[in-house]
Amino acid sequence: MELSAEYLREKLQRDLEAEHVEVEDTTPNRCTSSFRVLVVSAKFEGKPLLQRHRLVNSCLAEELLHIHVPAHRNE
């Protein structure tokens, strides 16, 4: 599977009907195994953080098999 920040951005935007999506490859050598993601979607409205994370994880279930997922942080 060929992963890229653009591929993930498009998939998240389409599947989560997102208003805004940012995806940054955070792997030191840009080998596409770690990403920082920001998603703004009406589908998140009224949902706690854990449910929002689950929506994103569900959307990217197949891709997550190839991505390192660091600990989540709240901002």
Side-chain angles (χ1 to χ4, degrees):
M1 169 178 290
E2 183 70 29
L3 291 178
S4 70
E6 183 63 21
Y7 169 84
L8 296 174
R9 186 191 68 73
E10 289 175 2
K11 183 166 186 181
L12 289 164
Q13 191 162 24
R14 180 184 62 247
D15 293 359
L16 296 177
E17 301 169 12
E19 302 161 29
H20 180 80
V21 179
E22 293 176 23
V23 179
E24 176 187 356
D25 183 351
T26 58
T27 313
N29 60 0
R30 299 292 189 245
C31 69
T32 65
S33 65
S34 180
F35 296 89
R36 183 189 66 79
V37 175
L38 171 69
V39 180
V40 178
S41 173
K43 288 189 172 192
F44 296 154
E45 195 169 316
K47 291 185 173 49
L49 183 62
L50 183 57
Q51 284 182 327
R52 291 180 283 179
H53 282 285
R54 286 179 177 157
L55 283 171
V56 172
N57 290 345
S58 178
C59 174
L60 299 177
E62 187 174 325
E63 292 79 7
L64 286 175
L65 298 173
H66 308 280
I67 298 173
H68 167 70
V69 181
H72 298 288
R73 62 183 176 126
N74 295 327
E75 295 185 30

